[in-house]
Amino acid sequence: MTAELVRGQNHPLPHARLEIRVSAGKPVVAGVTLGDEEGRVPGAEWVAHPGRSGLPGIEVSRQATADHRLTVDLDSVPAAVHRVTVLLALPIGPAAPVRFGAVAAPFVAVAAPDGTEIVSYTVTDLDSESAVVALEFYRRQDAWKVRAVGQGYAGGLAALLGDQGIDRAGELAAAIQEAVAPGLARTVGTPPPRTTEVRRGAAAASNGTPGGDAGPGPGPGPAVGPGPGPGAAPEPLPTTPPPPAQTHDGPINYTHPGRQSAAPPPPPPAAPPAEPGRPPVPVAGDATGWSLEERLYNQVWGMFEDLARTTAAYRSAVDFAESRLDQELDRALSDPRNRIGGSGDAAREAARAKHDRLTEQAREVLDRDLAQLAAESDVVEPALPPAFARWDNPVWHAYRVPMEIPMALRLGDLHLPESPELRIPMLIRLPLERGLWVDSGRAASEAASMMDEGQLRRLAMDTAVTHAARLLAVYPAGEFTVHVIDPAGSAAASLAPLVHSGVLDEPPASGAQGVSTVLAKLTQRVDLVQMAVRGGASDALPPDLDTAEQLLIVNDFPHGFDDRAVTQLRYLADEGPAVGVHLMLVADREDASAYGPVLDPLWRSLLRVTPVPDDHLADPWVQHTWTYEPPRVPPGSQVLQQVLAQVAEARRTWRR
């Protein structure tokens, strides 16, 4: 499995002989430098470039192209070499771009001899730079590792080579540019990638059938799972239709002509031009998608991924700076000459100064990225539809019951310790694929432990009601039904918005009899729908069966539940989502400790959320722990009651 690196991240190498694949979209110059332990290159003879393409264990391309295949045999490089650096630079020519910010981000992959990719890295965040250190292979305890560097140089190739300690770096850079100049005029970029629909259309044409119009593919899913979900794998982005056909004197159109008749999605709004040297002005909906809703959904998860990447790069850079500080301090202490006089103190001060400088540089990059993300959040939040919006968003004041189900639902916000003020909406796909568990336990988090038990349980039920109200609000009338089990009747105050608005078909069930009746009804519904689906006889369902999506809210579990009721609840949690029956459990796991491991599958099947901020969501992509913020209705606001009143009126109209 390919490891996708972010800036500063490293990865072990299982092979010494490697192939480095570079794809840049535009012609670039690729080279390799060999350095010592400090990363310094002794001279020009230790640089493999188009004018000198061969060094021991190194082979590079002889011209500037959009795609490169470099080979590196780390076992064959000289013993004095401890760092092997892969560099990319833009060639100098009349039609060549002058900065990486004007071209597509270069993509670099490291592959094994059999062609299997080991790691990949997309070199992002380049602007005025015309040369960049993409990757670095380095020795660590007699083993080789690779690090994604992404260090750009606005001064070009000469500045890059000079930074590596090469004398007369300007002359060497000029010689490299001169070596690629003859072939630059004959070099062309790679053709645009073919989309899934293009390939499908081409296959259909080869079979004698027209390409036809292909509709949009499935939208992407959350980028994290158990939370947005940490654990859930991203679904593929929807494919993009090809550009319009070009005239004969323009660029060649490589797309299949059968796809030209397909209706493209509406283009995203055009961003106003940015000032030179400044990041582009963010625009809401500036993402791939076949509708504004899908574009906003993709943009939100793009913001999530950008925040995860830049934070991972910052943390990795800080770790690298600390590791380098430890090494330099150990080296200073191990040298007997530094124990006499002030040379030892000077070495330690120099090491700490270098550490501080590296950390400050990493923080500057992080702050720059956070500022751009904050600016994007400021324009995206007001543009979100009700299903994606916070309760304080003005879009709720113009709320109308929708005619179709949205693609996702906002379950709260996510943020990281480095940027607590930057909140990313936590969106989950609809229909729900798993139930929800609103944890009312005090031991769940530090914030919960500081609260009174009764207050926390009330807040947990308020949170569950807020989630249920949003689900009712985003579904069309008659397509979502809520049931409530409140065995002791202790949640009457929290349930008041649902009860008084009239959105519940039946009052909350209480007592052992009420618990048994509701569970039996929903269990029977699951059984009937499963049998109908498996037998292909959906038209044989009873006419009085409610075919809407069902949500069961259970308060204060397991109070009021006997063994039979617990078994039925587990059945609904396991089998219900597939046939439209969902569970929202408000419970403290400690209250159910008497059941032991019997209920472990139940807790694992539910997505845990909390009524207070808690950092319990972890994404396996870059190993971040995200803090979850539950949704809140602004104090004193009547937006929840107003929305539920419209939902209730739409339900009454639908039943007439």
Side-chain angles (χ1 to χ4, degrees):
M1 181 177 179
T2 305
E4 182 180 353
L5 303 183
V6 297
R7 180 181 295 173
Q9 189 175 2
N10 56 43
H11 193 277
L13 292 171
H15 304 280
R17 184 167 179 81
L18 306 165
E19 181 184 60
I20 304 167
R21 304 167 182 171
V22 179
S23 178
K26 293 289 185 179
V28 296
V29 180
V32 175
T33 64
L34 307 181
D36 57 16
E37 291 183 353
E38 301 297 328
R40 297 186 65 83
V41 180
E45 66 276 8
W46 292 76
V47 180
H49 55 82
R52 179 188 171 90
S53 60
L55 285 179
I58 308 294
E59 291 184 10
V60 301
S61 305
R62 291 184 174 273
Q63 63 179 5
T65 64
D67 290 297
H68 291 269
R69 293 293 186 269
L70 318 180
T71 59
V72 174
D73 188 350
L74 298 173
D75 286 341
S76 300
V77 299
V81 173
H82 287 262
R83 297 194 185 187
V84 178
T85 302
V86 179
L87 59 90
L88 304 176
L90 293 173
I92 298 176
V98 296
R99 61 188 183 94
F100 274 110
V103 300
F107 175 81
V108 186
V110 179
D114 60 358
T116 304
E117 284 192 3
I118 303 170
V119 300
S120 64
Y121 172 46
T122 303
V123 189
T124 57
D125 298 328
L126 297 178
D127 186 13
S128 60
E129 298 88 344
S130 59
V132 61
V133 174
L135 296 176
E136 177 186 69
F137 302 95
Y138 62 98
R139 295 185 198 258
R140 178 63 56 85
Q141 297 178 350
D142 297 329
W144 286 92
K145 291 187 175 183
V146 59
R147 177 185 291 118
V149 180
Q151 175 65 54
Y153 292 83
L157 190 55
L160 186 156
L161 296 173
D163 193 46
Q164 296 197 2
I166 300 177
D167 294 332
R168 306 172 72 178
E171 296 181 8
L172 177 58
I176 294 174
Q177 294 288 1
E178 184 179 352
V180 300
L184 188 59
R186 302 190 300 271
T187 305
V188 297
T190 56
R194 294 173 178 249
T195 63
T196 304
E197 278 92 346
V198 173
R199 290 193 294 269
R200 189 183 303 121
S206 65
N207 292 332
T209 59
D213 293 347
V224 293
E235 299 176 31
L237 288 171
T239 51
T240 306
Q246 304 289 334
T247 58
H248 62 86
D249 56 347
I252 299 174
N253 185 351
Y254 292 89
T255 56
H256 191 275
R259 279 291 296 151
Q260 299 302 320
S261 60
E275 298 179 10
R278 298 182 63 86
V281 179
V283 173
D286 188 15
T288 306
W290 291 78
S291 66
L292 179 59
E293 179 191 46
E294 188 175 359
R295 292 202 298 269
L296 287 169
Y297 174 85
N298 292 337
Q299 187 172 12
V300 166
W301 284 112
M303 292 164 59
F304 172 87
E305 293 175 358
D306 289 345
L307 179 56
R309 285 193 185 99
T310 190
T311 304
Y314 170 73
R315 293 179 181 178
S316 181
V318 171
D319 290 343
F320 171 73
E322 292 177 351
S323 174
R324 186 169 182 173
L325 174 63
D326 292 340
Q327 292 176 6
E328 293 183 354
L329 290 177
D330 291 342
R331 190 179 302 118
L333 292 173
S334 62
D335 189 347
R337 294 171 296 179
N338 292 335
R339 300 172 188 170
I340 302 175
S343 57
D345 293 338
R348 286 190 290 271
E349 288 299 324
R352 292 191 180 95
K354 186 180 297 183
H355 166 270
D356 294 342
R357 186 170 62 255
L358 291 174
T359 304
E360 290 173 2
Q361 290 175 351
R363 187 69 209 192
E364 289 175 1
V365 173
L366 176 66
D367 290 341
R368 180 199 65 193
D369 293 343
L370 292 180
Q372 179 67 12
L373 284 171
E376 186 173 9
S377 178
D378 289 342
V379 299
V380 169
E381 279 286 356
L384 295 177
F388 300 176
R390 291 195 300 252
W391 285 108
D392 59 355
N393 193 312
V395 72
W396 288 106
H397 297 295
Y399 168 77
R400 294 293 182 269
V401 178
M403 300 299 293
E404 58 183 20
I405 302 173
M407 66 184 302
L409 180 86
R410 187 172 190 156
L411 206 61
D413 293 335
L414 300 169
H415 66 83
L416 291 170
E418 287 81 359
S419 54
E421 70 286 348
L422 180 57
R423 309 297 173 87
I424 305 296
M426 175 179 166
L427 305 180
I428 59 172
R429 295 298 297 267
L430 291 180
L432 297 174
E433 296 181 355
R434 59 193 302 199
L436 300 176
W437 166 29
V438 183
D439 192 350
S440 60
R442 295 184 64 199
S445 66
E446 182 179 353
S449 65
M450 304 296 292
M451 299 181 65
D452 175 73
E453 182 177 353
Q455 180 186 10
L456 183 60
R457 291 180 184 271
R458 166 69 184 272
L459 188 58
M461 195 60 194
D462 290 344
T463 302
V465 169
T466 303
H467 289 314
R470 184 183 289 267
L471 282 164
L472 284 165
V474 302
Y475 270 80
E479 294 193 20
F480 198 84
T481 302
V482 175
H483 308 269
V484 179
I485 292 179
D486 185 18
S490 59
S494 297
L495 292 170
L498 298 179
V499 175
H500 296 162
S501 63
V503 295
L504 299 180
D505 290 346
E506 300 173 349
S510 59
Q513 183 61 38
V515 172
S516 176
T517 300
V518 173
L519 290 177
K521 178 180 178 180
L522 291 177
T523 301
Q524 183 185 38
R525 184 191 184 280
V526 171
D527 291 338
L528 290 174
V529 175
Q530 279 186 339
M531 288 188 293
V533 171
R534 291 169 182 169
S538 57
D539 54 346
L541 289 170
D544 60 342
L545 183 74
D546 185 2
T547 57
E549 296 276 316
Q550 309 285 312
L551 175 67
L552 172 61
I553 303 176
V554 179
N555 180 44
D556 206 15
F557 175 81
H559 181 79
F561 279 70
D562 56 19
D563 291 345
R564 175 180 173 83
V566 169
T567 301
Q568 289 177 314
L569 193 71
R570 288 183 54 190
Y571 176 73
L572 292 178
D574 293 339
E575 304 294 336
V579 291
V581 177
H582 312 286
L583 181 63
M584 187 183 296
L585 200 63
V586 182
D588 179 0
R589 189 168 182 173
E590 292 297 323
D591 293 343
S593 59
Y595 286 93
V598 174
L599 291 182
D600 285 352
L602 173 65
W603 305 117
R604 287 196 298 266
S605 69
L606 304 175
L607 171 60
R608 176 177 171 258
V609 294
T610 54
V612 293
D614 186 34
D615 56 352
H616 66 281
L617 298 177
D619 76 81
W621 181 37
V622 285
Q623 292 81 47
H624 289 332
T625 299
W626 295 78
T627 298
Y628 167 76
E629 290 272 355
R632 290 281 183 266
V633 177
S637 174
Q638 296 296 311
V639 63
L640 192 66
Q641 290 77 2
Q642 294 169 2
V643 169
L644 289 176
Q646 291 197 44
V647 172
E649 178 60 29
R651 289 169 64 88
R652 287 190 289 268
T653 303
W654 174 77
R655 285 183 177 136
R656 292 172 186 167

